[in-house]
Amino acid sequence: MAAPARRPATYEDVLAAPDHLIAEVIAGDLRLTPRPGKPHAMAATALGEELGPPFRRGRGGPGGWLFVFEPELHLGADILVPDFAGWRRERMPQVIADDPFFTLAPDWLAEIISPSSAKFDRTDKLRSYARAEVNWVWLIDPTQHTLEVLQLRPDGWSLRGTWRDEERGRAEPFDAIELELGALWADVVIPG
């Protein structure tokens, strides 16, 4: 006798997930991951501090972006929660408080790599972001002190740049300023 067919996960499964976990649906599968740890949370906060003034507010940079920490994205059948996302204001001039989630794919997003999420961030989630035509993805590893910048091309993701440790660089699409990479992990000490 054949096993019963598995039903694809739904938004109801996301809503029913325990509060201490992040629930996502990728290719019909429910993915539950722990809330971010300290290095992850500190890197996300520092990233917002670096990008917000020049790109959201136009202080020392061109402005023109709207940023959201951990937005819930409904992109087709996938439900994803990137660590940080940004939309160009010409595509999303303001946020309308109608739904608790976003259906417009971001122009850029960052995934901050944690041991519990690294495999899915680099595979399943990247495939989902490509299907939704997210143009830019940053992969930030706060324990390895690295930044990888990926751009979506017709044939898939293209690595546009990598930085590590205390390097400074102009990372697309925010290359109007020099990013101080060390700021992303300056306040975290990794034992050992």
Side-chain angles (χ1 to χ4, degrees):
M1 176 168 227
R6 182 186 63 82
R7 75 167 177 81
T10 66
Y11 190 47
E12 287 72 33
D13 296 314
V14 169
L15 294 174
D19 290 339
H20 69 284
L21 297 174
I22 294 175
E24 298 174 294
V25 175
I26 304 172
D29 292 329
L30 180 67
R31 306 273 188 198
L32 300 173
T33 55
R35 299 287 314 157
K38 293 175 193 174
H40 181 285
M42 295 299 292
T45 300
L47 182 61
E49 292 169 349
E50 290 291 307
L51 297 180
F55 292 98
R56 182 173 187 272
R57 307 182 114 212
R59 294 183 184 161
W65 285 80
L66 184 97
F67 296 111
V68 180
F69 283 105
E70 295 186 351
E72 183 175 306
L73 305 175
H74 290 222
L75 305 175
D78 291 342
I79 300 169
L80 304 152
V81 182
D83 297 306
F84 201 37
W87 290 260
R88 293 184 187 273
R89 283 202 181 267
E90 63 260 17
R91 288 189 58 236
M92 189 166 73
Q94 58 191 0
V95 174
I96 299 170
D98 57 348
D99 287 319
F101 51 81
F102 296 86
T103 57
L104 179 65
D107 295 291
W108 163 89
L109 59 81
E111 288 290 356
I112 300 174
I113 305 299
S114 297
S116 64
S117 68
K119 179 169 50 172
F120 297 114
D121 287 347
R122 292 181 174 280
T123 58
D124 299 357
K125 288 180 88 171
L126 277 179
R127 286 191 284 270
S128 181
Y129 296 143
R131 283 191 299 273
E133 299 180 356
V134 175
N135 292 317
W136 296 94
V137 172
W138 286 12
L139 299 173
I140 299 168
D141 189 327
T143 58
Q144 294 296 313
H145 297 182
T146 60
L147 165 64
E148 299 168 71
V149 174
L150 305 173
Q151 182 182 26
L152 186 61
R153 300 286 176 101
D155 60 342
W157 293 107
S158 172
L159 181 64
R160 301 290 294 160
T162 59
W163 291 268
R164 65 180 177 87
D165 301 324
E166 305 302 314
E167 290 182 332
R168 298 173 71 95
R170 295 185 180 272
E172 296 172 287
F174 304 112
D175 51 337
I177 66 161
E178 187 175 65
L179 181 66
E180 184 182 339
L181 198 61
L184 301 182
W185 32 78
D187 299 318
V188 176
V189 175
I190 306 297

